[in-house]
Amino acid sequence: MSELEAVVGILGAGRAGTAFARALLRAGIAVDIASTRPPRALQHHLKIYAPGAEPVLGADVAARARTSSGLVILAVPQEELDEVDPDWVAGTVLIDATNTWQDELLPGWLQAAVDEQLPTSMALAGRFGAARVVKALNHIAHTEFDDAAQPGAELTQRRALAVAGDDDDARGLVMGLLVRMGFDPVSVGGLAAGRIMEPDGPLFNRPLRREDILRFAR
Ligand SMILES: NC(=O)c1ccc[n+]([C@@H]2O[C@H](COP(=O)([O-])OP(=O)(O)OC[C@H]3O[C@@H](n4cnc5c(N)ncnc54)[C@H](OP(=O)(O)O)[C@@H]3O)[C@@H](O)[C@H]2O)c1
């Protein structure tokens, strides 16, 4: 991903999506970001929470990313996922930054996976079958994101974040992005291994170093 061609799409312009956008923009990566609101209605919100991010329609979130970084971050509450058209992100590497919360009424396909105690990213990989799903960025709180992203620091001094994905190339792309954003990415294996990143897992919302994550990786 060169400086000139780097555009990342983000679906969801709430607490998480705008925190990711700020770190990307600080790293010199352009951001196209979508919410339920039309782009014009999102402009004021972005001026405050992610100045420099480009508001787009959900349907256009991957338009520039697809031909540059290839990456789109999913930062929409899981209860809203039926409203996200899988075609919007077809052909991308889709970073699943979402989490399951008990107060959310989940789409049937996702609730079925939760009932079977499957990692939710595996259900997302089925739903968004034309994208390569990688789980990342879900286990750090937006309130800690700005300070935790330290692109100027040595890798060993940075906060470590886990990455899980079945496709090696896709996982590598996401790890490269996290390095640019200022983290120390650690592969924990395939999507099935991403279970340890979920809210009831040992990695969730903990300030971790590489060795802490490796202790739990398969
Ligand atoms: N908050 C955190 O610290 C954090 C950190 C990591 C991961 N996460 C995960 O990220 C997800 C989002 O959390 P959040 O805290 O950012 O939620 P949030 O503050 O409520 O923001 C949700 C965003 O998603 C947008 N959205 C909803 N339906 C959409 C759709 N169909 N198409 C496009 N955008 C849509 C909303 O649009 P409108 O603005 O138009 O309503 C809003 O911008 C959750 O699964 C959460 O667990 C959160």
Side-chain angles (χ1 to χ4, degrees):
M1 195 174 12
S2 80
E3 295 284 340
L4 279 176
E5 64 183 7
V7 182
V8 168
I10 303 180
L11 267 169
R15 293 162 294 185
T18 55
F20 303 151
R22 288 192 296 275
L24 289 166
L25 290 160
R26 274 205 309 270
I29 298 170
V31 172
D32 287 347
I33 189 164
S35 77
T36 62
R37 290 171 262 179
R40 209 157 51 87
L42 195 52
Q43 261 168 1
H44 179 64
H45 176 75
L46 292 179
K47 222 178 258 176
I48 299 169
Y49 294 107
E54 185 69 28
V56 296
L57 291 170
D60 296 331
V61 75
R64 290 203 297 162
R66 210 176 264 123
T67 55
S68 57
S69 70
L71 295 159
V72 173
I73 304 175
L74 184 64
V76 166
Q78 288 186 342
E79 65 183 346
E80 307 294 343
L81 286 179
D82 268 349
E83 306 308 315
V84 175
D85 186 336
D87 285 347
W88 295 351
V89 294
T92 69
V93 172
L94 183 64
I95 303 176
D96 173 23
T98 70
N99 292 298
T100 305
W101 302 109
Q102 280 181 350
D103 57 347
E104 289 185 345
L105 186 59
L106 298 179
W109 54 269
L110 190 49
Q111 187 62 53
V114 171
D115 291 345
E116 284 182 52
Q117 302 200 322
L118 289 173
T120 53
S121 288
M122 291 178 70
L124 263 75
R127 170 86 182 168
F128 296 95
R132 290 177 288 165
V133 172
V134 173
K135 186 151 197 81
L137 289 171
N138 71 300
H139 66 99
I140 176 171
H142 74 282
T143 46
E144 297 177 9
F145 209 82
D146 292 309
D147 289 341
Q150 295 285 343
E154 295 286 325
L155 269 188
T156 53
Q157 300 306 310
R158 299 179 181 189
R159 181 157 168 166
L161 290 181
V163 179
D166 294 339
D167 182 300
D168 290 345
D169 289 342
R171 206 170 56 222
L173 264 184
V174 174
M175 291 175 76
L177 186 75
L178 295 191
V179 169
R180 288 276 299 271
M181 291 169 85
F183 295 95
D184 182 14
V186 183
S187 171
V188 297
L191 286 178
R195 191 82 177 82
I196 58 173
M197 299 158 68
E198 294 187 353
D200 57 354
L203 306 186
F204 199 77
N205 271 352
R206 300 219 167 90
L208 304 162
R209 296 285 186 208
R210 164 167 294 267
E211 55 275 17
D212 302 319
I213 294 181
L214 287 174
R215 209 173 305 138
F216 294 103
R218 288 183 183 171

